[in-house]
RNA sequence: GGCGACGUAGCCAAGAGGUUAAGGCAGGGGUCUGCAAAACCCCGAUCGUCGGUUCAAGUCCGACCGUCGCCUCCA
């Protein structure tokens, strides 16, 4: 079955075919680096990271670009958020942007988000933006007023094709900012004149100023990916006006289509409400990591579809963490058995089961990256694997290697929720030997029916976070 | 006010016209165990409400109720 993706532009699922066979050029709107990343960033970048990972799994060579917005967008107060942050933290604006860029990547690393191939900074592309704006003026799509440049929405009839909005409605809307110098209230800024107190400013043909809110994505995506390129992703909240404006700028300036597939992911909610500082329900990733393992958060995110809104509650995260632990338990057991397994080829019946799991996984992922379905396939496989390990005769090395390899591929490479080595592997050799010694001693005590002492060993180890599990083939242990 | 999305078991969450409505968590009952843990087996929903289309509807259409998003910076 071929990969189908929901394209926001056509509002339906379409067969995915990249412009150049075997290659995918993809852009996702990145963060504005004026503050720590929050759970919403986590959802968005885990969602798109998983999409990139699956495309690579399918064999595509993916070029993934995600910008870093280090020029502040304007707030209602007229102040730009980078500058506001700089004042708050008493840093130079560029220092602030660099500081939060590093923290952003550190958070994403913990969520096992693969770094984009290119992370272009807006401030590094001001000359390209100026050239692009000049081209829009030359072609009659933009005009200059008092050192600012605006895009003339009425000159681009397709404005609104992504978000399903019509310009007349925008004009009628009471919330559109009315600026006298704009010819039309719906027009948007390409370049803004810098007031004297504005720190972040660049020279331009229209005087000192700074770029508008949408031009960086148009310029940087096409610079590195060409035009048109395959996939443009971002959060739904950016569909309008941000993505709509990107399209207008890109297509007006060149006459070429912009992005071929638009993917929008759903918002993250906290207990049924949008996460907002003003609501006091703002949770940074750093804060979340204090309570939940980053992998559990990633797993939680992937247990719902990327296009759905995701409501975060403590209970939901706790149960996701437990579910992931179940998956890990099976992987650990497989790897532990592998060490002592008899040599031999893989059992054809098991290979068939694995093949079925792989197929179910791919069918879900092929259907617009349905990660909940893919995870379900993994759990069905896990039930079979655990049953296999419960049998009195140990599976062969070949069988266990095949099981382990599939876990690594699907849960590890594609979903990114399975580290290459689980924490037990990190327990030093000496500690492992000592645990083995205690298990042996306890086995002898049990043989002698000295259960009180045997249980004491088990309880003391449990207190240290080492849980013993007695099975038909002896005792194993796991960190809890 | 305009545009859009969603409402599936106690909780989270897939499914989108047709065999027994995935999966996870929690719960109940078993198996295994000296006991426990882990694991395995069994048990639970008729799909917001009301109409309609169809041989057949969580799945399509309409109305209503509810929740949420966008329309202003937001991942």
């Amino acid at each position: 079955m071929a990969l189908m993706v929901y394209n926001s532009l056509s509002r339906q699922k379409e067969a995915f075919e990249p412009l150049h066979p075997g290659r995918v050029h993809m852009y996702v709107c990145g963060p504005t680096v004026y503050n720590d990343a929050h759970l919403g960033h986590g959802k968005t970048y885990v969602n798109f990271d998983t999409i990139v990972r699956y495309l690579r799994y399918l064999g595509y060579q993916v070029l993934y670009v995600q910008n870093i917005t280090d020029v502040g967008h304007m707030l209602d107060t007229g102040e730009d958020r980078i500058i506001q942050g700089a004042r708050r933290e008493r840093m130079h604006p560029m220092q602030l942007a660099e500081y939060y860029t590093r923290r952003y990547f550190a958070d994403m690393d913990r969520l096992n988000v693969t770094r984009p191939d290119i992370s272009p900074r807006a401030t590094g592309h001001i000359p390209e933006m100026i050239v692009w704006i000049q081209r829009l003026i030359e072609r009659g799509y933009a005009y200059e007023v008092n050192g600012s440049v605006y895009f003339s929405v009425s000159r681009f009839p397709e404005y609104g094709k992504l978000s399903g909005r019509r310009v007349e409605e925008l004009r009628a809307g009471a919330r559109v900012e009315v600026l006298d110098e704009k010819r039309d209230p719906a027009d948007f800024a390409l370049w803004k004149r810098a007031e004297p107190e504005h720190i972040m400013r660049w020279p331009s043909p229209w005087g000192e100023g700074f770029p508008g809110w949408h031009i960086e994505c148009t310029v940087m995506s096409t610079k590195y990916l060409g035009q048109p390129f395959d996939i443009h992703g971002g959060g739904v909240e950016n569909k309008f006006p941000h993505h709509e404006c990107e399209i207008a700028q890109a297509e007006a300036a060149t006459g070429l289509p912009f992005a071929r597939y638009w993917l929008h992911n759903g918002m993250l909610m906290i207990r049924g409400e949008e996460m907002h500082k003003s609501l006091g329900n703002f949770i940074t990733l750093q804060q979340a990591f204090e309570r939940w393992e980053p992998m559990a958060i990633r797993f939680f995110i992937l247990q719902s579809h990327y296009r759905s809104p995701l409501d975060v509650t403590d209970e939901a995260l706790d149960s996701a963490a437990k579910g992931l632990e179940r998956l890990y338990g099976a992987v650990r057991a497989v790897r532990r058995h592998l060490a002592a397994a008899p040599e031999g080829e893989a059992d054809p019946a098991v290979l068939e089961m694995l093949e079925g799991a792989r197929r179910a996984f791919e069918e879900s992922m092929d259907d617009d990256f349905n990660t909940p379905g893919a995870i379900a396939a993994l759990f069905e496989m896990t039930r079979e694997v655990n049953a296999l390990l419960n049998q009195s005769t140990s599976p062969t090395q070949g069988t266990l290697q095949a099981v382990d390899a599939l876990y690594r591929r699907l849960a590890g490479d594609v979903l990114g929720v399975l580290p290459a080595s689980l924490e037990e592997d990190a327990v030093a050799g000496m500690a492992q030997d000592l645990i083995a010694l205690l298990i042996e001693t306890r086995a002898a005590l049990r043989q002698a029916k000295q259960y009180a002492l045997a249980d004491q060993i088990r309880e003391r180890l449990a207190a240290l976070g080492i849980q013993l599990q007695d099975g038909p083939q002896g005792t194993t242990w796991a960190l809890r």
Side-chain angles (χ1 to χ4, degrees):
Chain A
M1 186 179 136
L3 175 61
M4 301 290 286
V5 304
Y6 182 88
N7 189 348
S8 301
L9 209 49
S10 63
R11 293 171 183 75
Q12 58 190 13
K13 282 184 194 171
E14 299 175 6
F16 178 72
E17 283 167 27
L19 194 58
H20 304 290
R23 296 184 63 90
V24 177
H25 284 193
M26 174 163 164
Y27 184 88
V28 172
C29 291
T32 303
V33 283
Y34 67 105
N35 220 330
D36 274 326
H38 55 246
L39 279 172
H41 292 102
K43 168 164 161 58
T44 292
Y45 300 117
V46 164
N47 284 151
F48 287 109
D49 174 54
T50 305
I51 286 170
V52 170
R53 284 165 174 268
Y54 188 61
L55 291 169
R56 289 185 172 140
Y57 169 86
L58 291 178
Y60 290 112
Q61 192 180 337
V62 180
L63 178 55
Y64 179 28
V65 177
Q66 186 192 106
N67 64 302
I68 295 287
T69 298
D70 53 1
V71 178
H73 295 292
M74 301 294 282
L75 295 170
D76 292 345
T77 57
E79 190 173 35
D80 124 1
R81 53 208 324 169
I82 293 280
I83 290 174
Q84 189 193 49
R87 183 167 304 146
R88 182 185 69 226
E89 315 256 343
R90 300 186 178 199
M91 290 184 184
H92 186 280
M94 284 308 285
Q95 182 189 7
L96 179 96
E98 189 62 36
Y99 176 76
Y100 283 113
T101 299
R102 291 177 194 179
R103 287 173 71 89
Y104 166 72
F105 281 125
D107 287 342
M108 291 302 133
D109 287 348
R110 293 193 69 187
L111 286 174
N112 204 17
V113 171
T114 313
R115 295 211 179 181
D117 297 300
I118 305 176
S119 300
R121 271 74 166 171
T123 53
H125 297 74
I126 304 289
E128 290 94 327
M129 293 187 217
I130 289 172
V131 168
W132 201 284
I133 294 167
Q134 280 178 311
R135 199 182 312 153
L136 285 169
I137 294 174
E138 283 161 18
R139 297 189 62 152
Y141 288 103
Y143 57 92
E144 189 245 311
V145 187
N146 299 330
S148 293
V149 182
Y150 296 96
F151 186 96
S152 181
V153 162
S154 61
R155 294 277 292 113
F156 188 74
E158 290 188 87
Y159 190 76
K161 69 178 174 182
L162 176 68
S163 55
R165 266 163 237 272
R166 275 175 288 148
V167 174
E168 305 82 70
E169 290 164 1
L170 297 173
R171 292 198 187 102
R175 301 170 93 181
V176 172
E177 176 195 13
V178 180
L179 245 181
D180 288 342
E181 63 181 29
K182 284 194 210 173
R183 288 182 193 164
D184 185 322
D187 289 351
F188 59 90
L190 296 168
W191 186 265
K192 293 282 274 187
R193 170 188 68 253
E195 300 305 327
E197 67 275 14
H198 206 97
I199 307 170
M200 297 186 92
R201 57 203 297 149
W202 291 265
S204 80
W206 318 286
E208 295 245 316
F210 56 94
W213 314 324
H214 316 297
I215 192 70
E216 65 174 274
C217 285
T218 298
V219 166
M220 298 194 290
S221 60
T222 55
K223 172 166 180 170
Y224 299 108
L225 300 174
Q227 186 176 350
F229 59 90
D230 296 301
I231 296 175
H232 189 126
V236 271
E237 76 283 356
N238 278 328
K239 217 185 218 181
F240 187 90
H242 186 56
H243 295 154
E244 198 69 69
C245 296
E246 282 186 53
I247 292 174
Q249 292 162 347
E251 301 191 348
T254 62
L256 295 168
F258 181 45
R260 303 173 61 239
Y261 299 89
W262 281 87
L263 271 46
H264 287 101
N265 71 323
M267 309 251 327
L268 180 131
M269 322 281 290
I270 304 287
R271 286 179 283 273
E273 290 177 307
E274 182 183 358
M275 186 163 64
H276 232 290
K277 275 187 181 157
S278 54
L279 292 174
N281 62 359
F282 198 86
I283 301 176
T284 66
L285 285 168
Q286 296 284 344
Q287 289 167 339
F289 292 159
E290 285 171 17
R291 172 150 178 192
W292 294 282
E293 289 293 319
M295 281 298 96
I297 294 173
R298 181 177 177 110
F299 181 74
F300 168 69
I301 290 167
L302 294 178
Q303 266 192 316
S304 82
H305 188 92
Y306 78 91
R307 280 196 283 119
S308 303
L310 175 61
D311 193 23
V312 174
T313 59
D314 292 353
E315 300 76 19
L317 265 162
D318 285 342
S319 48
K322 284 182 192 165
L324 182 61
E325 201 43 55
R326 193 165 118 71
L327 204 62
Y328 284 1
V331 174
R332 284 190 193 104
V334 167
R335 293 181 185 172
R336 198 169 288 127
H337 279 250
L338 195 48
E343 288 183 28
E345 298 287 300
D347 179 347
V350 175
L351 288 184
E352 198 178 319
M353 181 278 285
L354 295 177
E355 177 59 17
R358 191 190 57 75
R359 203 178 310 117
F361 182 96
E362 287 179 10
E363 272 173 21
S364 285
M365 290 300 283
D366 277 344
D367 183 14
D368 195 31
F369 311 103
N370 187 341
T371 53
I375 288 171
L378 237 31
F379 275 108
E380 296 198 37
M381 166 179 156
T382 294
R383 185 164 23 86
E384 304 267 11
V385 168
N386 279 325
L388 189 71
L389 297 175
N390 271 351
Q391 291 173 6
S392 49
T393 55
S394 175
T396 62
Q397 282 180 19
T399 297
L400 292 170
Q401 272 159 2
V403 172
D404 188 38
L406 194 62
Y407 273 125
R408 286 180 192 277
R409 192 109 173 85
L410 304 183
D413 297 344
V414 179
L415 298 182
V417 293
L418 180 67
S421 62
L422 264 3
E423 54 279 17
E424 271 78 351
D425 305 338
V427 174
M430 174 71 84
Q432 293 209 28
D433 291 346
L434 288 171
I435 294 169
L437 177 65
L438 286 167
I439 288 175
E440 261 178 57
T441 307
R442 176 169 165 270
L445 289 168
R446 291 175 70 206
Q447 196 97 52
K449 298 204 188 298
Q450 303 215 30
Y451 294 122
L453 260 181
D455 288 352
Q456 198 182 334
I457 290 175
R458 184 173 66 197
E459 279 153 28
R460 293 291 297 276
L461 283 173
L464 295 171
I466 298 163
Q467 185 183 74
L468 298 188
Q469 297 161 354
D470 296 329
Q473 294 161 49
T475 300
T476 58
W477 57 274
L479 294 182
R480 280 282 178 271

